[in-house]
Amino acid sequence: MTNARDIQLDALRGVAVMLVLYSHFFAPGGSSFVGHLGVRLFFVLSGFLITRLLLDARDTSAFASGPALRSFYARRMLRIFPPYFAVLALAWLASEQSRPSLAWHALYLSNFWYARQNDWTPWLLCHFWSLSIEEQFYLAWPLIVLLAPRRRIEAIAIGVIAFSLAYRFYWPIAANPALARDLLPPASMDALGCGALLAVRRARGAAPQWMRLCWPALAVAFLFVVQSDPGPADSAWEWPRWALVQVLPLVPMLAIVAACSNGLRGTMGRLAELPPLLWLGRISYGVYLYHSILLGLAVRAQPWIPVNVSEQGPGRFLVAGTATVVVASLSWVFFEKPLNGFKRYFPYVPPAHPRSASEALRFGAAPALDLRPTDRSRP
């Protein structure tokens, strides 16, 4: 099912989480659109990998929608829930400010909490908004991929993308620059839907040629737009600029995901398979989960730290970033990876059970298709 060179998608995860760490630890002002770009790349990767995995399961002769759905949700819970709720428990112990919102986070409604408050309080858990978006996507999209008519899935993915793009026109009309414009689910469905569309198209053949040809121009246009002055909040350029910086990177991201899923070769391929980058991609979920808590602990420990971690800059990036990678590595080795081992009890397609191996070989039976993702290309 999976190409051995899919390990390069782990490199993309590593790049995405580095963009987030740069934004939260180094960038002036405590944030940067670079971090949001990393989150959008995570969304594209999630849409692509989940959809490809489910389509591969659906295309097997032994496929049954009910067992496949149960396995999908069981495997997601094993991968996502344990470290997620461990962080919520730490937040409850470490921050009284976080306690009023913990029920929202526990139900994967963090994005609705922050949109409702129109404020990033509690800051300690503000990055959970994107995890809530993904979980909301996981609730609905597998039902579509596994239950909808196979020939309709591409049209549904295009419809999801179109709806998300249309959603952006509401905010200039409402003249409301609230957090909700970025945090409600439709704001991210274009990235998730584009990843899903790429998986559907690649199941039918190569990625579209127009995408391979035009992505460099769109990337250059994005760089010009993101560097432009947005002007005052009510200017004529502020709203189009906001929409363009969200939409323009999507095709370049799709082209990069498609190239890495095929396997980059030459110098770029060797860079994409550097062991430190692959390891960072493998532990990226933990890095994303733990980084804000470790930043908070580093700031509290400032009197005992010889470099400045109280402000954005190289000191904070070095100390908090190193602590985050260490904790995420330990979490993966001793906590997440052992739990992931239980996924073997939840195959998407049940393996065949011939009466005996010799009998199966005598009658020319093909080996059962293993639809579990490899350890190195986890969706």
Side-chain angles (χ1 to χ4, degrees), residues 53-108:
L53 181 71
L54 295 174
L55 288 176
D56 283 349
R58 181 168 180 164
D59 289 342
T60 62
S61 59
F63 167 76
S65 58
L69 278 172
R70 287 193 295 271
S71 292
F72 173 82
Y73 291 123
R75 294 166 71 93
R76 287 294 88 197
M77 286 190 288
L78 284 169
R79 177 67 189 105
I80 294 172
F81 283 10
Y84 182 89
F85 286 100
V87 170
L88 288 186
L90 290 173
W92 186 86
L93 292 171
S95 172
E96 290 186 9
Q97 189 185 46
S98 299
R99 293 176 186 175
S101 64
L102 283 182
W104 290 74
H105 300 300
L107 294 171
Y108 283 94

Side-chain angles (χ1 to χ4, degrees), residues 144-158:
I144 293 171
V145 176
L146 295 179
L147 300 179
R150 182 71 168 78
R151 65 185 183 280
R152 302 294 185 194
I153 296 175
E154 181 174 353
I156 294 171
I158 293 172

Side-chain angles (χ1 to χ4, degrees), residues 307-368:
V307 297
N308 182 9
V309 296
S310 298
E311 298 177 347
Q312 297 286 102
R316 172 177 283 190
F317 187 82
L318 176 63
V319 173
T322 300
T324 299
V325 171
V326 170
V327 170
S329 297
L330 293 173
S331 174
W332 169 252
V333 172
F334 296 108
F335 183 34
E336 299 168 59
K337 186 177 180 180
L339 288 172
N340 277 350
F342 289 102
K343 288 181 178 180
R344 66 183 181 273
Y345 297 112
F346 302 98
Y348 287 100
V349 178
H353 293 290
R355 283 173 288 179
S356 70
S358 59
E359 183 177 352
L361 292 173
R362 187 163 58 248
F363 287 95

Side-chain angles (χ1 to χ4, degrees), residues 277-290:
L277 186 58
L278 295 178
W279 179 252
L280 186 61
R282 183 173 298 186
I283 65 170
S284 58
Y285 180 50
V287 170
Y288 192 79
L289 274 177
Y290 303 130

Side-chain angles (χ1 to χ4, degrees), residues 220-295:
V220 171
F222 165 75
L223 293 175
F224 275 111
V225 171
V226 81
Q227 293 297 325
S228 67
D229 183 0
D234 58 351
S235 70
W237 173 235
E238 197 273 339
W239 290 104
R241 179 183 181 277
W242 165 74
L244 288 171
V245 296
Q246 298 284 340
V247 174
L248 285 175
L250 289 176
V251 171
M253 286 181 186
L254 286 175
I256 293 169
V257 169
C260 287
S261 110
N262 283 334
L264 292 169
R265 303 187 184 278
T267 301
M268 292 302 297
R270 289 190 292 273
L271 290 175
E273 295 182 13
L274 288 173
L277 186 58
L278 295 178
W279 179 252
L280 186 61
R282 183 173 298 186
I283 65 170
S284 58
Y285 180 50
V287 170
Y288 192 79
L289 274 177
Y290 303 130
H291 80 278
S292 63
I293 285 183
L294 291 166
L295 173 57

